[in-house]
Amino acid sequence: MMDGKHNSALGAAYAATRPDEVAAIYDSWSETYDADMSAAGYRHPTICLALLARHLPRGATPLLDAGAGTGLIGEWLAITGYPQVEALDISQGMLDRAAAKGVY
């Protein structure tokens, strides 16, 4: 079940009509995004990694993490042997959090 904060931020992101609105919402959410999504049971990064690993050999480079957010999948890619991953996201705040993880 989603908590109110997660539901509110995600709902606002989906309701936004302009790219700058989306970026601003995710910028303001970036500080708590990882914790909020974990509390909400968000498992998409691990599911995506499992699918990718079935079809792309470890060590394959380069990879692009489009919509990287805070780098949740980037962390898993680094752990599982994908050494060269570039991050792309509409939100600079999210990219800053991803860069701090040192996996891109």
Side-chain angles (χ1 to χ4, degrees):
M1 172 171 267
M2 291 190 255
D3 64 28
K5 181 177 181 181
H6 169 256
N7 193 26
S8 171
L10 191 58
Y14 282 115
T17 59
R18 296 187 332 266
D20 61 318
E21 288 179 284
V22 174
I25 291 162
Y26 280 104
D27 283 347
S28 66
W29 192 11
S30 64
E31 292 290 320
T32 61
Y33 181 85
D34 288 359
D36 293 347
M37 295 305 278
S38 178
Y42 184 62
R43 301 291 180 253
H44 289 82
T46 52
I47 293 167
C48 289
L49 177 65
L51 291 169
L52 181 124
R54 287 183 65 177
H55 301 285
L56 192 65
R58 285 197 174 118
T61 63
L63 298 180
L64 174 63
D65 184 358
T70 61
L72 293 173
I73 197 165
E75 290 179 295
W76 285 106
L77 288 166
I79 290 167
T80 57
Y82 296 94
Q84 185 183 353
V85 182
E86 295 292 327
L88 176 68
D89 200 274
I90 195 170
S91 164
Q92 187 60 51
M94 292 293 218
L95 285 173
D96 292 345
R97 300 291 290 181
K101 293 178 178 176
V103 295
Y104 294 102

